[in-house]
Amino acid sequence: MAARTVTDPKELAIFEVRDLWAYYNEKPAIRKVSLKIPEKKITAIMGPSGCGKTTFIRCLNRLHELTPGASIKGEILLRDKNILEMDPVLVRRKIGMVFQRPNPFPTMTIYDNVIAGYKLLGVRLKREEADRIVEEALRKAALWDEVKDSLHKRGTYLSGGQQQRLCIARALAVKPEVLLMDEPTSALDPKSTAKIEELIVELKRSVTIVIVTHNIAQAGRVADYTAFFYLGELVEFGPTSEIFTVPKDPRTEEFLKGKFG
Amino acid sequence: MNRLLYRKLKDRLAFFLILVLALCPTLPLFHILLGVVKQGISSISLEFFIHLPKPPGEEGGGVGNAIVGTLMLALSASLLAVPIGILCGVYLSEYAKGRFGEAVRIAADVLQGTPSIVFGIIAYLWVVKPMGHFSAFSGSVALAIMMLPVIVRSTEEILRMIPETLREASLALGVNYWRTVLKVIIPTGLVGITTGILLSLARIMGETAPLLFTAFGNPFWNFNPMQPVEALPLVVFKYAISPYEEWIRQAWGASLVLTGLVLVLNLSARLLARRMGGHGR
C-alpha cells in the first residue's frame, strides 16, 4: 500500500526518505517507506511494538547496519545528499541519538560525558572552550542547575531522568543537525518524562527532532508531525493534529482508539 | 510418627555430610598456611629479604636475589603477555564470531590446561637454544605463555558483559569502532581486565617447572634480563631437596614469602572484582 506523505509544502524538509527497505537476515522490517521530515520540527514515529519504528530511525544514522545480518536499500537524503553513500562515521556526527535507556559512559564524569563527542574523537579543546560547550549543552538539556556543582562526579551517580538529560546534552554538545530519540522516556518515571517532554519542545528551536514513541499521548503532546508505522509500512504521515483528529487510514484510527499496540 | 523421626534424622545426617564435604577443600589450604607460617616464620628477618644466600654450612643469608628475580620475571612476563592478551581478548569479544574465533578460543583453553613444564620446554627451544644460554628473558617468555590464556579469556568475558548500548552511545557520536573499543569499551572493563591480570600473575609467580631450564637460577644478584636469574620457587625447590638443615629452614621461609605474595595478589583480585559490581565506580 502506498504511503500518503502529506508534508506541509511550507515546511522545508531536512530528510527525504525514498523507497527505504531495511532487512534483518533478508527479512524486511521496513517496507518501501517514503517520507519527508521537516526541519526544526518534532516528528514522532508511532506504532505498535515490532512495527519497525526503532529500525527506521536507526537507518537514519546508519546504526541499523551494525546489527549482524542487517542491510538497507533505498535512499535517505539529508539536505539532498544520500547518507547511505556517505561514510557512516561522518553521518553520525551530523545526526545525534538518544537511546531508550540512559547510557552515560560509566568511567567518565558528568563533564567528560558531555564533551565525550570531542574527547572520543581525539579533538583537543581549550579549557575555556570545553567549559563553554559543557555549560551550553547542559543548559540546553535543562540539567545545568542540577549538576553545576558536581560536574566532576561520575555521570552514573545521577538519577535515571538526569542521566537521560545528560545523554541529551552529550548528543547536543557536538551540534548535530538532527536529534534522533528512541523512546527516550520509556525507562523513566512520569515526573522525569514530563521534564524531558518539556525539554524536547524547547529544543526544536535549534535542532530537528525525530522521536520514536509507542505512547500515543506523548506523540500528541510533543510532535508537530506524526508518522504511523504498522508492520514495517508507513501507513500515514502528516501534521499531528490531522492524524489525531481525522486519520485517513482505518488502521491509524484503530491504533489511536487503543485497539492494538 | 516413627517415619517422620527417621526422615528428620536422615535430613540432619545429609546436612552434616554436606557440611563436612564442603570443609574438605578449605582444610588443605589452612593446613598449608599454618604449616608454612609455623615453619617459615623463624627465617623471616630483614636480612632474609635483602641478603644473598650463604654457602652451605654457614648460618644466615637471605633470598634477596630470588625476590628480585621473581619480581623481574613477573614484570617482564606481564610486559609480554598483557598487551597481547588484552588485544586477543578484545578480538574474541568484538570481532570473532566465526570459525577462526572459535579456534583461538579452543587454543587458549588448551593452553590453559597444558602442563607447566611444557612451557619451559617451548621457551627453551624458542629462546635458550638460539641464545646459547639460560636467561631471565627466556623464563619470562615461558611464564608469559602461561599468563596468556587467563588474560585472553577473562578479558573476553568481561568485555562481553559490557552492554551493547554503551557501544552504540559511542558509535552514535560518530566515533569509529576502533576508538570506541580503545576509549570506551576497554576503560569500562578495565577493573575486570586488571582482575584477570592479577589472577594470571598469581598463577605464574609460584611456578617452578617452566623456570628449571629457562631462568635456571643464580646464587648472585642479577638485574640483567639476558642472564640467568634466581626465583623464589626455584629456591624452594633447590633448598628443600638439599641435605643442609639451614637450607631446608630457609626453603620454608621462601615458601612463606611466596605464599604471601600469591595470597595478596589473589585477595586484591577479589577485592577489585567485588568493586566491579558497580561497573567501575
Side-chain angles (χ1 to χ4, degrees):
Chain A
M1 125 136 241
R4 277 181 278 253
T5 48
V6 247
T7 309
D8 191 333
K10 283 179 305 220
E11 310 281 11
L12 210 65
I14 186 165
F15 264 129
E16 186 177 351
V17 179
R18 287 185 193 155
D19 296 338
L20 185 74
W21 290 78
Y23 305 86
Y24 291 104
N25 300 317
E26 322 283 308
K27 222 182 118 247
I30 294 289
R31 298 160 181 270
K32 204 166 193 267
V33 166
S34 299
L35 87 166
K36 289 179 179 176
I37 294 173
E39 190 173 358
K40 302 259 169 88
K41 298 284 170 198
I42 300 169
T43 301
I45 312 287
M46 189 178 71
S49 306
C51 69
K53 313 181 287 275
T54 297
T55 306
F56 177 72
I57 70 160
R58 287 169 68 91
C59 290
L60 298 183
N61 69 346
R62 299 192 55 185
L63 269 189
H64 171 68
E65 64 207 71
L66 291 174
T67 313
S71 57
I72 309 182
K73 212 175 75 190
E75 280 183 4
I76 302 173
L77 304 178
L78 175 73
R79 297 191 195 287
D80 299 323
K81 270 185 84 180
N82 189 357
I83 63 165
L84 298 182
E85 286 163 3
M86 286 165 68
D87 183 344
V89 166
L90 296 176
V91 172
R92 293 180 200 130
R93 285 183 204 170
K94 294 182 184 200
I95 301 169
M97 189 165 193
V98 175
F99 296 82
Q100 273 192 36
R101 295 190 160 275
N103 53 1
F105 298 119
T107 53
M108 294 187 195
T109 61
I110 293 171
Y111 188 98
D112 287 344
N113 259 290
V114 177
I115 49 165
Y118 298 91
K119 283 201 116 173
L120 295 177
L121 286 172
V123 178
R124 292 199 182 278
L125 294 172
K126 282 201 195 103
R127 182 80 208 186
E128 317 82 82
E129 207 186 343
D131 287 349
R132 193 177 48 74
I133 291 171
V134 168
E135 181 172 346
E136 203 181 298
L138 285 172
R139 278 192 194 280
K140 271 192 190 166
L143 189 61
W144 175 252
D145 291 331
E146 289 157 67
V147 301
K148 64 177 179 226
D149 299 319
S150 47
L151 289 174
H152 296 286
K153 275 193 184 164
R154 294 269 160 105
T156 39
Y157 280 119
L158 300 172
S159 74
Q162 289 174 322
Q163 286 191 23
Q164 194 61 303
R165 277 178 282 145
L166 176 60
C167 294
I168 294 174
R170 177 176 69 191
L172 292 174
V174 288
K175 303 195 172 57
E177 296 188 44
V178 182
L179 186 61
L180 307 174
M181 303 182 111
D182 183 8
E183 300 191 28
T185 59
S186 65
L188 303 180
D189 60 82
K191 216 177 149 191
S192 310
T193 301
K195 196 142 196 182
I196 297 226
E197 286 181 5
E198 222 174 278
L199 169 64
I200 293 170
V201 175
E202 187 63 31
L203 281 176
K204 75 170 168 185
R205 284 198 277 174
S206 50
V207 63
T208 307
I209 292 171
V210 183
I211 179 172
V212 164
T213 178
H214 61 241
N215 182 336
I216 299 168
Q218 185 168 62
R221 283 192 297 265
V222 303
D224 302 301
Y225 290 85
T226 296
F228 174 60
F229 276 63
Y230 186 62
L231 299 177
E233 282 179 35
L234 175 65
V235 173
E236 197 162 346
F237 178 58
T240 305
S241 52
E242 277 177 34
I243 297 261
F244 274 60
T245 49
V246 279
K248 296 190 179 68
D249 195 291
R251 286 172 293 179
T252 316
E253 197 172 341
E254 275 173 38
F255 179 72
L256 290 170
K257 281 185 186 153
K259 292 225 172 113
F260 56 82
Chain B
M1 208 58 217
N2 239 349
R3 255 186 102 77
L4 191 67
L5 199 74
Y6 171 66
R7 281 190 179 181
K8 273 189 171 173
L9 206 72
K10 226 165 59 173
D11 181 59
R12 279 282 166 81
L13 203 74
F15 175 73
F16 184 72
L17 195 71
I18 289 170
L19 192 75
V20 169
L21 290 174
L23 279 173
C24 280
T26 57
L27 215 65
L29 177 67
F30 278 111
H31 197 178
I32 288 168
L33 285 179
L34 204 76
V36 169
V37 171
K38 215 171 94 184
Q39 309 261 12
I41 198 83
S42 62
S43 312
I44 301 296
S45 61
L46 184 64
E47 192 194 357
F48 188 71
F49 282 98
I50 57 172
H51 277 216
L52 279 179
K54 291 257 170 77
E58 277 182 52
E59 286 281 310
V63 292
N65 58 334
I67 293 173
V68 168
T70 286
L71 294 179
M72 195 163 122
L73 285 166
L75 185 76
S76 47
S78 304
L79 285 179
L80 289 170
V82 168
I84 300 175
I86 290 180
L87 288 178
C88 193
V90 167
Y91 172 77
L92 286 184
S93 87
E94 296 294 323
Y95 300 94
K97 312 270 187 261
R99 278 210 178 154
F100 180 66
E102 203 44 49
V104 174
R105 232 165 260 136
I106 292 172
D109 286 349
V110 172
L111 214 54
Q112 196 154 11
T114 304
S116 60
I117 195 152
V118 176
F119 297 108
I121 299 170
I122 296 291
Y124 181 84
L125 286 174
W126 284 2
V127 187
V128 178
K129 269 195 102 177
M131 272 177 56
H133 57 86
F134 299 113
S135 65
F137 175 66
S138 60
S140 43
V141 168
L143 296 180
I145 306 172
M146 275 192 84
M147 286 174 82
L148 263 180
V150 185
I151 300 179
V152 169
R153 292 314 299 269
S154 65
T155 303
E156 182 194 357
E157 259 142 54
I158 291 297
L159 296 188
R160 267 176 200 280
M161 273 166 34
I162 292 175
E164 192 58 38
T165 58
L166 224 53
R167 272 176 204 127
E168 291 190 338
S170 173
L171 295 169
L173 285 169
V175 181
N176 63 30
Y177 208 91
W178 173 237
R179 283 192 91 94
T180 298
V181 167
L182 204 68
K183 301 247 170 170
V184 175
I185 297 177
I186 293 181
T188 306
L190 196 62
V191 179
I193 295 173
T194 314
T195 306
I197 294 171
L198 287 181
L199 285 175
S200 70
L201 265 178
R203 179 167 177 231
I204 56 121
M205 274 177 98
E207 280 295 337
T208 320
L211 301 180
L212 287 173
F213 24 85
T214 53
F216 191 70
N218 183 343
F220 307 105
W221 293 111
N222 171 37
F223 301 95
N224 179 354
M226 293 306 155
Q227 290 302 319
V229 76
E230 195 59 272
L232 280 169
L234 284 176
V235 169
V236 175
F237 176 68
K238 275 187 281 195
Y239 281 17
I241 56 173
S242 77
Y244 316 112
E245 220 166 277
E246 175 69 10
W247 275 20
I248 291 173
R249 196 175 61 82
Q250 294 210 345
W252 281 108
S255 305
L256 180 58
V257 175
L258 196 57
T259 312
L261 262 172
V262 172
L263 207 64
V264 165
L265 278 171
N266 263 312
L267 291 179
S268 349
R270 293 225 146 223
L271 274 171
L272 265 180
R274 195 177 301 164
R275 248 191 49 179
M276 214 183 45
H279 244 301
R281 278 189 188 189

